[in-house]
Amino acid sequence: MRKPMIAGNWKMNKTRDEAINFTLGVANGLPLNVECVVCAPFIILRDLVKRAPKNLKIGAQNMDYHESGAFTGEISPIMLQDTGVEYVIIGHSERRSYYNETDESVNLKVKKALEFNLKPIVCVGEVLEERESGKTEEVLAKQVRLGFEGVKLDEPANLVVAYEPVWAIGTGKNATSQTAQDACKFIRGELAKIFGQSKADEIRILYGGSVKPENIKEYMANEDVDGALVGGASLKVDSFLALCNYKN
Ligand code: PEP
């Protein structure tokens, strides 16, 4: 009942021409039974929305929680809505560590995104030291509790959570399939405490961290892993297509 999702996070990569070429490259190869998304830099979102094939959804990688005003360099939910994007990544670990994003700002952004009909892909995950000191569940519970505090969720299918252990992002050190399953199951339990079990059962939870065409199947075989958030391997047409077509 939860539609699988493969979401690419392009980070600060691709010019407009490169992005358009990517959409042409994937146009005839994307499956219908998997939701395929790319989250691109702000400046190319409008072009991507216009040119993406029907089964490629477009997302942003961040947004401000204010609607407008004196916030130099920021992009508001109104502006994102105006581009026609469907998704927005919120609280990626790079935003948390390089730009001081907190669970509190994540919470404000999630509320604003939903208010403006943008579907949030909310990232949570522990750093290596927290995992090694046995604090993973404590960290995930706090991120989920504070990130979703007071969030009104009418349509649970519109919320996506990504479990991204920080030690696995861009390092090639992917979590084992069992580690991903355990964390995603734990996160679903925490979501149930906030939204109730039936809504938690509809929320998609992705694993992210060095996912590649070679390991995607192992993750997708898990009960609580509904997809993947993919950085490096989402940049090339061939590997993005292979990820999206993991069922074939
Ligand atoms: C990410 O940036 O969210 C990510 C998971 O990156 P990578 O796939 O490159 O580890």
Side-chain angles (χ1 to χ4, degrees), residues 9 72 83 94 107 116 145 148 165 177 186 190 213 216 239 244:
N9 173 16
T72 302
T83 66
E94 287 153 16
N107 181 258
F116 285 91
R145 182 168 42 80
F148 296 113
S177 171
F186 178 79
E190 294 303 299
I216 182 73
S239 61
C244 292

Side-chain angles (χ1 to χ4, degrees), residues 43-69:
I43 197 163
I44 53 180
L45 291 176
R46 193 180 287 277
D47 283 300
L48 282 173
V49 168
K50 216 186 290 171
R51 292 167 191 258
K54 208 169 65 239
N55 45 349
L56 180 64
K57 309 279 180 63
I58 306 302
Q61 300 171 9
N62 179 36
M63 59 165 228
D64 199 281
Y65 54 80
H66 299 94
E67 293 179 21
S68 63

Side-chain angles (χ1 to χ4, degrees), residues 9 11 92 94 123 164 168-172 208-211 229-233:
N9 173 16
K11 312 193 187 193
H92 190 278
E94 287 153 16
C123 301
E164 295 214 309
I169 298 178
T171 59
S210 300
V211 174
L229 181 57
V230 187

Side-chain angles (χ1 to χ4, degrees), residues 6-247:
I6 301 294
N9 173 16
W10 283 354
K11 312 193 187 193
M12 199 171 69
N13 291 294
K14 290 200 192 290
T15 61
R16 177 177 175 273
D17 283 353
E18 288 166 347
I20 290 168
N21 282 339
F22 180 96
T23 63
L24 297 174
V26 299
N28 296 318
L30 295 170
L32 292 171
N33 53 0
V34 172
E35 191 159 12
C36 309
V37 183
V38 289
C39 298
F42 290 130
I43 197 163
I44 53 180
L45 291 176
R46 193 180 287 277
D47 283 300
L48 282 173
V49 168
K50 216 186 290 171
R51 292 167 191 258
K54 208 169 65 239
N55 45 349
L56 180 64
K57 309 279 180 63
I58 306 302
Q61 300 171 9
N62 179 36
M63 59 165 228
D64 199 281
Y65 54 80
H66 299 94
E67 293 179 21
S68 63
F71 302 101
T72 302
E74 290 297 320
I75 299 288
S76 79
I78 297 174
M79 294 168 186
L80 278 192
Q81 191 184 45
D82 191 47
T83 66
V85 295
E86 197 168 321
Y87 287 95
V88 56
I89 297 176
I90 291 176
H92 190 278
S93 62
E94 287 153 16
R95 303 280 332 161
R96 290 179 190 254
S97 64
Y98 306 146
Y99 303 98
N100 303 322
E101 200 139 313
T102 61
D103 292 326
E104 289 70 24
S105 63
V106 167
N107 181 258
L108 292 166
K109 290 181 182 195
V110 170
K111 288 176 180 162
K112 271 294 162 195
L114 290 169
E115 185 183 330
F116 285 91
N117 295 320
L118 298 160
K119 299 175 183 171
I121 302 174
V122 183
C123 301
V124 296
E126 80 286 0
V127 299
L128 188 58
E129 198 190 336
E130 291 163 339
R131 172 154 289 269
E132 287 178 341
S133 55
K135 292 201 175 123
T136 298
E137 293 196 347
E138 190 188 315
V139 170
L140 294 177
K142 180 165 173 272
Q143 289 175 335
V144 170
R145 182 168 42 80
L146 297 181
F148 296 113
E149 197 163 43
V151 168
K152 259 189 78 235
L153 190 61
D154 299 326
E155 265 307 324
N158 289 348
L159 175 64
V160 180
V161 178
Y163 168 59
E164 295 214 309
V166 180
W167 46 270
I169 298 178
T171 59
K173 290 185 195 144
N174 54 305
T176 65
S177 171
Q178 189 61 50
T179 298
Q181 163 59 21
D182 292 346
C184 290
K185 184 174 180 190
F186 178 79
I187 289 167
R188 197 176 305 287
E190 294 303 299
L191 290 170
K193 291 182 192 165
I194 298 167
F195 298 117
Q197 190 64 54
S198 69
K199 283 190 176 170
D201 284 340
E202 282 187 61
I203 297 170
R204 283 174 294 181
I205 305 179
L206 316 180
Y207 164 72
S210 300
V211 174
K212 304 181 235 0
E214 301 81 60
N215 59 27
I216 182 73
K217 269 195 182 165
E218 294 167 39
Y219 293 114
M220 296 309 291
N222 289 307
E223 165 105 31
D224 287 286
V225 180
D226 304 311
L229 181 57
V230 187
S234 71
L235 288 168
K236 294 226 166 77
V237 166
D238 288 353
S239 61
F240 186 70
L241 282 178
L243 287 163
C244 292
N245 288 288
Y246 72 91
K247 288 188 182 185

